[in-house]
Amino acid sequence: MSFFPKTLIRDIFYIILIFFSISFGVFAEGKSFVYYIEWKEVKGSRGYVVEVRKSVPTQELILEKKVSENEIEFSLEAGSYDYRIAALNR
């Protein structure tokens, strides 16, 4: 027989679990991460344009870069982003 009721132990466990879930999300905020994107080469292209935008709510353009290879590496703060890559033929 336990000194504490099972429901109290369960409730404390859930509170600790929620605290750590929220804490890790807060600690990631403001940190930069290195992203590496690689895609299939488009034959005959003279390069590529890579666009990175915030996913929500404003679709703000974060990065727009012309590259000659079918890969790119860059740093961004933690978050949700949309990527667009276009082949250049001129």
Side-chain angles (χ1 to χ4, degrees):
M1 185 171 241
S2 176
F3 181 74
F4 295 105
K6 286 182 181 180
T7 56
L8 178 62
I9 293 172
R10 185 191 67 219
D11 291 345
I12 291 172
F13 172 77
Y14 286 137
I15 290 170
I16 291 171
L17 184 66
I18 290 169
F19 171 76
F20 281 113
S21 297
I22 293 171
S23 297
F24 287 126
V26 169
F27 293 135
E29 213 172 287
K31 287 189 176 184
S32 287
F33 296 92
V34 176
Y35 294 85
Y36 175 78
I37 302 175
E38 184 177 15
W39 55 91
K40 289 184 179 182
E41 179 183 353
V42 176
K43 299 289 183 193
S45 73
R46 298 188 185 273
Y48 306 89
V49 175
V50 179
E51 286 185 0
V52 180
R53 295 179 180 272
K54 283 207 176 257
S55 290
V56 285
T58 60
Q59 290 286 311
E60 175 188 354
L61 183 64
I62 302 297
L63 172 79
E64 182 177 38
K65 189 169 184 175
K66 290 181 183 179
V67 295
S68 57
E69 300 292 324
N70 60 323
E71 61 185 9
I72 188 171
E73 185 174 293
F74 52 91
S75 247
L76 290 176
E77 288 187 5
S80 182
Y81 300 95
D82 293 326
Y83 305 92
R84 228 166 57 162
I85 300 164
L88 300 173
N89 60 3
R90 297 183 200 192

